[in-house]
Amino acid sequence: MSSKVRLILDGFVKNNPTFVLLLGMCPTLATTTSAVNGLSMGLATLFVLVLSNMAISAIAPVVPDKVHIPVYIVVIATFVTLLQLLMQAYTPAVYETLGLFIPLIVVNCIVLGRAEAFASRNGVIASAADGIGVGLGFTLALTVLGAVREILGSGSIFGWKFIPGDGMLAFVMAPGAFICLGYLMVLFNKYLKKE
Amino acid sequence: MEYFLIIISAIFVNNIVLAQFLGICPFLGVSNKLSTATGMSGAVCFVITLATLVTYLVNKFLLVPLHIEFLQTIAFILVIAALVQMVEIVLKKTSPSLYSALGIFLPLITTNCAVLGVALNVVTKQFTFGGEAHFLNLGESLVYALATSLGYGLAMVIFAGIREHLSLSDVPKAFKGVPIALVTVGILAMAFMGFSGMVK
């Protein structure tokens, strides 16, 4: 059991998809205009990641080697479509905000990367644990980036406004995304990454 | 006039990398050298335009008549993957020099979210170019796809040029590699924000 816990914890720091592996940059930059948006995007990716990891680890032994990438992509696309339909039904407002980046989870390199590097050669339970770990690591990174941009850009956090005034608008817009992520990576490199 | 607005808007105002955040992975990955950056931009340009044409037709004549638009994501990614594979085979036979120039970039394009992003944008989003909000027709879609990918190339080439100089400068250790690249892109994006307001 402890090895499963280890797998989950690894996803947070050692294999953090955003700060260490540099995967899934597009949704990371595009959807983190606020902490809530970052959190929802992270959770959406977590959902697809866990389910596709489990499904792929289950079917991997019978998939011919030559067509494994197309098969994995179809499996992932199926879960993404499922997520799209669920979100349209139950959380239409969130779906509207995240927009294009929900269907684009299909081409998020984190999902296909984990399928290829982990799920295809491990058991279902271990793959689920790996999916949870990496998914939570991604969610954490997105929420932190969203929170920083929300504080600097609009003076609030999770929608709670504690600095009066407009804030620095540039941080909510495109340039702020790149600059904040750059500086967060610097902090991560300096204090958390072990050689 | 509208085509002109589409082109300006797609290249400068809503630049696909610097304003829409699509295709960031290859943007950061292959922008170390100017020559690879141009190769990648050429390949992306070709595939985005072709993929938009095919997915537009698939959507209009297959998915919409059958009322299965919710399958757009799956259908489009399959079309794109097949298309990239086909382009690879055709290029290999007909133009080996171009094939070897594009080299490893071709297979990578399947997972470039810019391709799927543009294809989905064209069929699901309503655009306002000076006039009323409307879905793009086939001609407008193609112009939009081509201009968007030219914008991708423009951002890529500018950034590769900056990065070649950056690699020679003395950067603090924690900033080395991707962090300083991201900060640079941020400043580049700020420069491109100057174009906003040109087209509503």
Side-chain angles (χ1 to χ4, degrees), chain A residues 163-177:
Chain A
I163 304 173
D166 282 341
M168 292 173 276
L169 193 62
F171 280 100
V172 183
M173 298 171 83

Side-chain angles (χ1 to χ4, degrees), chain A residues 111-156:
Chain A
V111 183
L112 191 61
R114 290 328 287 174
E116 183 71 4
F118 194 91
S120 61
R121 48 187 84 132
N122 285 284
V124 176
I125 307 286
S127 299
D130 178 72
I132 294 172
V134 174
L136 284 178
F138 187 62
T139 309
L140 182 75
L142 257 64
T143 313
V144 170
L145 182 58
V148 171
R149 285 179 68 190
E150 198 183 341
I151 293 169
L152 294 172
S154 35
S156 55

Side-chain angles (χ1 to χ4, degrees), chain A residues 22 25-26 29-30 73-74 77 81 84 100-101 103-104 106-107 109 173-175 177-179 181-183 185-186 189, chain B residues 17-18 20-25 70 73-74 77-78 110-111 113 116-117 120-121 174-175 178-179 182-183 185-186 190 193:
Chain A
L22 304 171
M25 283 291 137
C26 302
L29 292 161
I73 290 183
V74 173
T81 307
Q84 274 183 285
L100 186 61
F101 287 90
L104 285 184
V106 179
V107 282
C109 5
M173 298 171 83
F178 291 108
I179 293 173
L181 183 62
Y183 278 96
M185 252 175 213
V186 170
N189 283 348
Chain B
V17 181
L18 302 171
Q20 295 187 50
F21 306 105
L22 291 172
I24 306 275
C25 294
F70 66 91
T73 313
I74 299 185
I77 191 70
L78 284 176
T110 309
T111 51
C113 57
L116 185 60
L120 283 171
N121 252 345
F175 275 92
V178 177
L182 281 171
V183 175
V185 185
M190 220 177 266
M193 266 173 76

Side-chain angles (χ1 to χ4, degrees), chain A residues 2-22:
Chain A
S2 68
S3 70
K4 305 286 182 293
V5 178
R6 183 82 243 152
L7 276 174
I8 294 179
L9 287 179
D10 269 356
F12 262 82
V13 177
K14 207 174 121 238
N15 284 327
N16 189 290
T18 306
F19 295 130
V20 181
L21 305 177
L22 304 171

